[in-house]
Amino acid sequence: SSDRAASEIPGGPPRAVVPGGIESGILRKVLSSLTGQLNMIVFAAIAATVFFGGWLRPFARYHDRFFGTQVELVDAFPALLFLAFAGWCFWLAYGNDRKLQQRRARIAGGFCAAFAIVMSVALFASPETMAAIHGTFWFCAKVASLLYGFLWIRAVVPRSAFERGIPAAWRVLVPVATVNLILAACAISMTQLWDFGPGVSSFVTTLATVAFAGWLWSADGGRREPVAPAAPADAR
């Protein structure tokens, strides 16, 4: 998801550096960068849908009302969040002497105020309309949070030669994922057929998966491929 170029990866194939970007045209570079960003967005959308509930709101079991009204606190959070952002943007515009930055802050504050109004009106609309508007907000918020995490990791974590870990991933991670899938099916069968509690069956299967992963990792320790020495600078 980080969209590293081949020349940026340690151990990757070298590329000729030609002044002026003659090696690959500007359009090719723009399309390559756009492809990487779209890849990150699509991956974040899939991860948000599969692992984080997609358009469903968090804390689904939390139903406390907002100051005695019929509006729930979690449902009022999007409107309050946009209202806070709008106030912050207008405060920045008020305390800034530069006209261009004032204009940008006011435009951003206007958009946030408009979104706050939409979210507030949705609270009193039909359940279908509210689910559509708030579901869009929660889905976009989850995708944006994942994208922020990707960019943060890309900026903080140093680059590594990830291709060296691919053989270990095939020998360890894929078998562990397969065993985990089988044991998860066994846990569901134990819960349905023999009246085992879901906590007990999940604990047993998780413990078995962790034990198998440890055994496989220790058995794979002697099969690590030697790292080829780096070529001298004169040979490059």
Side-chain angles (χ1 to χ4, degrees), residues 29-184:
K29 290 184 179 180
V30 171
L31 291 178
S32 177
S33 177
L34 182 62
T35 302
Q37 303 306 321
L38 289 177
N39 182 27
M40 291 178 58
I41 295 174
V42 171
F43 183 81
I46 294 175
T49 303
V50 175
F51 300 107
F52 296 99
W55 57 89
L56 300 178
R57 75 170 198 180
F59 307 107
R61 298 182 180 180
Y62 187 77
H63 297 288
D64 286 355
R65 305 295 177 178
F66 187 75
F67 295 113
T69 63
Q70 297 298 322
V71 179
E72 298 184 6
L73 289 175
V74 181
D75 292 333
F77 175 78
L80 296 177
L81 180 64
F82 281 118
L83 187 62
F85 277 134
W88 180 60
C89 291
F90 287 128
W91 178 77
L92 290 178
Y94 177 77
N96 201 326
D97 297 333
R98 299 180 180 179
K99 294 184 178 180
L100 181 60
Q101 294 184 359
Q102 282 184 356
R103 189 178 307 162
R104 291 177 178 175
R106 288 172 181 172
I107 292 174
F111 276 108
C112 291
F115 282 124
I117 293 174
V118 171
M119 293 295 170
S120 301
V121 172
L123 294 175
F124 304 97
S126 62
E128 293 80 9
T129 304
M130 177 180 170
I133 296 177
H134 281 228
T136 303
F137 167 79
W138 288 117
F139 180 76
C140 294
K142 294 173 184 179
V143 171
S145 301
L146 290 174
L147 289 176
Y148 175 79
F150 294 157
L151 296 176
W152 183 82
I153 292 174
R154 178 178 178 178
V156 173
V157 177
R159 302 168 185 169
S160 60
F162 63 90
E163 68 275 1
R164 297 177 183 174
I166 292 178
W170 278 104
R171 293 195 298 262
V172 177
L173 297 182
V174 173
V176 168
T178 305
V179 171
N180 186 29
L181 180 63
I182 296 173
L183 291 179

Side-chain angles (χ1 to χ4, degrees), residues 198-214:
V200 176
S201 58
S202 300
F203 176 77
V204 173
T205 54
T206 302
L207 188 63
T209 304
V210 171
F212 175 75

